[in-house]
Amino acid sequence: MSAPMTAGPAQAHVEHDGFHTAYHDVGAGPPVLLVHGSGPGVSALANWRGTLASPLADDHRLIAPDVAGFGRTQTAYELTHETRVRHLVGFLDALGLDRVDVVGNSMGGALALALAHRHPDRVRRMVLMGTVGIAFPIPDGLDRVWGYEPSLEAMAELVGLFAHDRDVVGPDLVRLRYEASIAPGVHERYAAAFAAPRQRHVDEMALSEDDLRGIGTPVRLLHGAEDRVIPLEATSLRLVRLLPRADLVVFSRCGHWTQIERATDFVREVASFFTD
């Protein structure tokens, strides 16, 4: 788990529609939008560092923005689900991308589903990992993630919650995420975006069952069997029955971090699905 300590690819910036979006752009080929999840200290690089450096970039253009409210992306808009969806649509417009494949992680999966629902012509295929986007009672794990108050101890507890394999959790990773979570203005934005009562944030991200049945985009759902943040049974097992063109792959001995704990398998699934 030494990857998070490397510098990572350079970050670009684009201004559009009241947003200053920071993003990473690597590789060449068909465009793939990588949409990260929520969590204290999260950014595109923190979530997708290994993916950006993987063989997936040999055949695809990987574009990973800091979602509105995270990382170095800036906006004066209220940090809601609606704002985040509007931000991603405007970001695609700003880069001149009419149609993309999308990989959405957790909250990013809900954003991907919203894109496919509202703009079906813009999303060719989707891979959704430990995704939200369907109504379910907020679990204790997610409530703890969104209710984070900065301390090294609290960050260590959350990082351990994300991973089934505690060997991927080390003091360097904990400190890196903790320091990111206390950068100027970061926690204030995070606390405002996911203020209690937190069930309402799950509900805001959820599409109705009828809306989900109407999404014709091909989808591959990936989920860790031991996910304690977004439970498999409450989300992906229901989504695979509702989305008309979805398949589900469940990774054993894996928590919420499929792209880290099962990195090789994750890249293989994405590559095979997007090149079919």
Side-chain angles (χ1 to χ4, degrees), residues 155-188:
M155 182 59 75
E157 179 182 347
L158 289 191
V159 170
L161 183 68
F162 279 109
H164 172 67
D165 180 2
R166 298 304 180 92
D167 289 342
V168 307
V169 180
D172 288 343
L173 174 60
V174 171
R175 181 166 291 279
L176 184 73
R177 292 290 293 267
Y178 167 68
E179 290 177 352
S181 77
I182 60 170
V186 168
H187 183 64
E188 290 79 3

Side-chain angles (χ1 to χ4, degrees), residues 105-106 128-131 158-169 221-233 235-236 248-263 266:
N105 180 33
S106 196
L128 309 179
M129 315 132 60
T131 188
L158 289 191
V159 170
L161 183 68
F162 279 109
H164 172 67
D165 180 2
R166 298 304 180 92
D167 289 342
V168 307
V169 180
L221 299 161
L222 307 180
H223 216 120
E226 312 302 331
D227 192 333
R228 292 179 289 162
V229 179
I230 307 296
L232 169 65
E233 295 79 6
T235 55
S236 290
L248 170 62
V249 178
V250 178
F251 294 133
S252 64
R253 303 175 304 282
C254 182
H256 194 57
W257 277 347
T258 56
Q259 78 277 27
I260 294 174
E261 293 187 86
R262 298 291 294 270
F266 165 74

Side-chain angles (χ1 to χ4, degrees), residues 173-239:
L173 174 60
V174 171
R175 181 166 291 279
L176 184 73
R177 292 290 293 267
Y178 167 68
E179 290 177 352
S181 77
I182 60 170
V186 168
H187 183 64
E188 290 79 3
R189 291 197 302 269
Y190 184 74
F194 298 106
R198 299 185 183 92
Q199 178 66 51
R200 62 194 167 108
H201 306 302
V202 174
D203 297 341
E204 286 171 2
M205 295 181 199
L207 294 173
S208 71
E209 292 193 357
D210 284 344
D211 286 342
L212 290 166
R213 290 188 185 98
I215 293 176
T217 306
V219 179
R220 182 161 293 177
L221 299 161
L222 307 180
H223 216 120
E226 312 302 331
D227 192 333
R228 292 179 289 162
V229 179
I230 307 296
L232 169 65
E233 295 79 6
T235 55
S236 290
L237 280 179
R238 294 168 59 211
L239 286 167

